[in-house]
Amino acid sequence: MFYKDGQDVIPGVQAMHTPGHTVGHTSFVINSGGKSLFLVGDLMHHVILIEKPRMEVAFDTDPKQGVTTRIKAMDMLAAQRMAALVYHMPWPGIGHFAKQGDGFRYVAEPMQLVL
């Protein structure tokens, strides 16, 4: 690996080790202008894994670790109210996480068109 967990890969882009989907799966936090954006990667493949994060899925190379990592990441995102880019959510895939019962809720940001 070229970087370590918590280390800046380049200024303003921090690596976050998020194993489970794959052994070396890494997410990134981009910090700019006082705001942060969490690039989720393949932590969540479907909204059901957000609502029921304890569900183990065959898509993960280590399903139990995938559960632990998903919950840890969504707990952090909900607590910090950090925006996230979630590739497997409808376009543009940017939103926030909130605690909801034993799981979470994904709240998509409204689409903004800038001319």
Side-chain angles (χ1 to χ4, degrees), residues 30-110:
I30 299 173
N31 297 295
S32 179
K35 295 183 179 181
S36 297
L37 177 67
F38 185 84
L39 302 180
V40 171
D42 282 328
L43 288 179
M44 299 97 181
H45 316 290
H46 194 277
V47 70
I48 193 92
L49 295 176
I50 295 168
E51 295 172 355
K52 300 185 182 303
R54 287 165 181 77
M55 179 182 293
E56 294 181 17
V57 294
F59 300 116
D60 292 335
T61 55
D62 185 335
K64 290 187 185 328
Q65 189 174 42
V67 166
T68 301
T69 299
R70 264 193 301 283
I71 292 170
K72 180 180 174 185
M74 287 188 284
D75 270 337
M76 178 202 72
L77 292 166
Q80 294 182 18
R81 296 189 42 78
M82 186 186 301
L85 175 59
V86 188
Y87 306 141
H88 296 285
M89 293 293 105
W91 190 89
I94 297 175
H96 291 85
F97 290 89
K99 290 285 286 174
Q100 180 172 291
D102 290 337
F104 297 86
R105 173 171 49 99
Y106 175 75
V107 181
E109 285 291 309

